[in-house]
Amino acid sequence: MNKGVIISIRDLIVLVRFDDAQPFTGEILVAGNKERTILLVDNLRDDGVAICLNVRSEQSIQKGMAVERTGKGIEIPTGPKTVGRIFDALGQPLDELPSLYGDPEVKTRNIFKIPTGNTSFTVTKPQILETGIKVIDFFTPFVKGRKIGIIGGAGVGKTVLTMELIHNIAKSNAGLSFFTGIGERIREGHELFETLKERDLLKNTCMFFGQMNENPVQRALVGISAVSLAEYFRDEEGKDILFFADNMYRYIQARNELGTILGQIPSEGGYEPTIFSDVKVLQDRLSSSDKGSITAVQTIYVPADDLSDPAVQMIQHELDSIIVLSREVAEKGIRPAVDLLRTSSSLLSPDIVGDRHYVLSVQVQSLLQKHESLRGIIAIIGENELSPSDRADYAKARKLIEFFSQKMHVTEDLNGNKGESFTREQTLAGVEEIIV
Ligand SMILES: Nc1ncnc2c1ncn2[C@@H]1O[C@H](COP(=O)(O)OP(=O)(O)O)[C@@H](O)[C@H]1O
Ligand SMILES: [Mg+2]
């Protein structure tokens, strides 16, 4: 007997009693209603009651209803047929196309199963992927197999910058692109779909959405489902993958909401403690293996513009490069609104970007720092009181700040300004022209 019975329903939490044949944590159960409502076992109580989550928030389940075990965890479809498709957290289609479940040619994969085998990435030579965006190519070079974070408060341009990156590099990418929408606006997903379709990029893209209209169970799962399919393509088909996620902070938020529903006690900074290890596990899976690579770009929303938020800090530790977008810069009309002093990358080293780029980056950083400290002085004594060399450096820094602003292709329809792209060589030459 693999049957249980629903004994309580509260919010998304459904308690199911099993007299024998207990399900396992992470198992999918199916209720006996017409919708065959899916319940995900979150944990098991000592008295044999399974604490489950109502994954689709379906209202038609009732106390006393029978529930069947499936013996399986969450499985998503894999393989070539998933390319060009849009899925939800459970691998069901969000485009109008048929579901891939039950297709005899399609194998499925458990999303929590972490691939074994060689995941240590042996780099021969770091490969720089040019983005055409000056500020990124110069300060946070996009290196195959590494992780970039785009961090900032609401409305500072994280999504626009992510879309521009997809626009610029997906088309030059021979591999596969992934886009995962986590807890953001639904409209943005439609817009991305239309852009990719227009530019004939759907054939190289897989998309997953668990946006803000979805419940926290789906928002907490969708990133994991997407990573799992990316792992499939990396390991089984040897692909190089560009993985975009907007917004990784929403994953943490969804986990936190679930913690609250499940009655867990938050600790550090209002976050439930296991969230940090879950984030680590997810970030570790966004890695490369001896078969293929995953290069990840993720946006991170900063609550109340506070960069010291513990969750934001935690994700930052997992990244190779951090692009900080700031409201103060945006208010000056500079786009992309990058805070150049807070933006950093561990990949700006001579062996990765070359001596010329490295030396320029050190010079630029020092000019920007000088600019920052001179700003305070100028506010008190005025620019004319500066020494001639300070004044010259100040002017150079201002030119640099202006130089690193750039018009985006993806906002052409919004503001009528034609988008621009630059090679890394053009960017370096442009910097040299200003500072020498
Ligand atoms: N690089 C840019 N160029 C022009 N406008 C921009 C740019 N970045 C952001 N914007 C404007 O700011 C709005 C909010 O940007 P968005 O990327 O959605 O913010 P976030 O994702 O950080 O909340 C956009 O709808 C657009 O009007
Ligand atoms: Mg956004």
Side-chain angles (χ1 to χ4, degrees), residues 327-341:
R327 199 166 304 285
E328 201 195 336
V329 177
E331 277 162 3
K332 288 187 189 137
I334 298 169
R335 300 287 184 175
V338 180
D339 181 332
L340 299 175
L341 281 175

Side-chain angles (χ1 to χ4, degrees), residues 104-179:
E105 287 169 36
V106 173
K107 290 208 180 85
T108 61
R109 183 178 181 99
N110 183 318
I111 65 167
F112 286 109
K113 189 150 182 282
I114 297 172
T116 49
N118 190 356
T119 50
S120 62
F121 188 35
T122 41
V123 210
T124 37
K125 191 176 182 302
Q127 192 180 331
I128 296 181
L129 311 166
E130 290 193 12
T131 69
I133 304 169
K134 290 188 279 191
V135 70
I136 294 183
D137 288 339
F138 190 79
F139 290 96
T140 54
F142 205 81
V143 179
K144 188 166 138 184
R146 311 309 280 266
K147 293 194 183 85
I148 293 190
I150 301 175
I151 301 189
V156 291
K158 299 182 296 298
T159 300
V160 166
L161 194 55
T162 305
M163 294 304 148
E164 183 74 2
L165 276 168
I166 296 177
H167 171 274
N168 288 6
I169 51 181
K171 63 171 187 250
S172 60
N173 172 38
L176 198 57
S177 298
F178 269 70
F179 181 84

Side-chain angles (χ1 to χ4, degrees), residues 13-259:
I13 309 285
V14 181
L15 302 187
V16 184
R17 195 183 57 234
F18 284 85
D19 291 326
D20 44 33
Q22 304 287 309
F24 55 85
T25 299
E27 183 168 340
I28 292 288
L29 311 177
V30 181
N33 55 346
K34 197 168 98 258
E35 287 82 4
R36 309 217 9 103
T37 292
I38 287 175
L39 302 175
L40 173 68
V41 180
D42 185 82
N43 61 84
L44 294 166
R45 248 170 36 187
D46 291 342
D47 60 357
V49 169
I51 302 173
C52 306
L53 294 164
N54 183 351
V55 181
R56 296 196 188 279
S57 299
E58 280 167 0
Q59 304 297 313
S60 57
I61 46 170
Q62 285 169 0
K63 251 161 93 167
M65 203 171 256
V67 170
E68 266 177 66
R69 289 189 56 187
T70 63
K72 284 187 173 169
I74 298 177
E75 305 228 339
I76 51 152
T78 63
K81 286 189 177 174
T82 60
V83 179
R85 298 295 305 269
I86 312 176
F87 300 103
D88 71 5
L90 300 177
Q92 289 292 354
L94 291 173
D95 42 26
E96 312 279 275
L97 300 166
S99 169
L100 293 176
Y101 287 99
D103 182 326
E105 287 169 36
V106 173
K107 290 208 180 85
T108 61
R109 183 178 181 99
N110 183 318
I111 65 167
F112 286 109
K113 189 150 182 282
I114 297 172
T116 49
N118 190 356
T119 50
S120 62
F121 188 35
T122 41
V123 210
T124 37
K125 191 176 182 302
Q127 192 180 331
I128 296 181
L129 311 166
E130 290 193 12
T131 69
I133 304 169
K134 290 188 279 191
V135 70
I136 294 183
D137 288 339
F138 190 79
F139 290 96
T140 54
F142 205 81
V143 179
K144 188 166 138 184
R146 311 309 280 266
K147 293 194 183 85
I148 293 190
I150 301 175
I151 301 189
V156 291
K158 299 182 296 298
T159 300
V160 166
L161 194 55
T162 305
M163 294 304 148
E164 183 74 2
L165 276 168
I166 296 177
H167 171 274
N168 288 6
I169 51 181
K171 63 171 187 250
S172 60
N173 172 38
L176 198 57
S177 298
F178 269 70
F179 181 84
T180 313
I182 314 176
E184 296 288 315
R185 292 179 205 93
I186 320 165
R187 175 177 54 79
E188 292 175 344
H190 293 308
E191 283 168 8
L192 174 67
F193 177 79
E194 291 304 326
T195 309
L196 294 173
K197 196 165 129 189
E198 237 166 64
R199 298 175 201 268
D200 198 24
L201 292 172
L202 280 178
K203 60 178 191 288
N204 291 323
T205 311
C206 295
M207 275 178 278
F208 283 79
F209 288 106
Q211 297 292 46
M212 55 168 65
N213 55 309
E214 303 292 350
N215 70 30
V217 187
Q218 299 217 31
R219 282 180 274 126
L221 287 173
V222 70
I224 299 166
S225 299
V227 170
S228 183
L229 186 57
E231 285 168 340
Y232 162 85
F233 280 108
R234 180 193 66 194
D235 295 342
E236 307 299 325
E237 299 197 11
K239 295 251 199 253
D240 288 324
I241 289 151
L242 294 173
F243 189 97
F244 298 90
D246 184 14
N247 187 298
M248 207 41 102
Y249 182 80
R250 305 296 180 197
Y251 167 66
I252 294 177
Q253 217 169 26
R255 290 298 323 260
N256 227 28
E257 284 173 51
L258 282 180

Side-chain angles (χ1 to χ4, degrees), residues 375-382:
R375 254 183 3 149
I377 298 171
I378 289 169
I380 300 164
I381 62 166

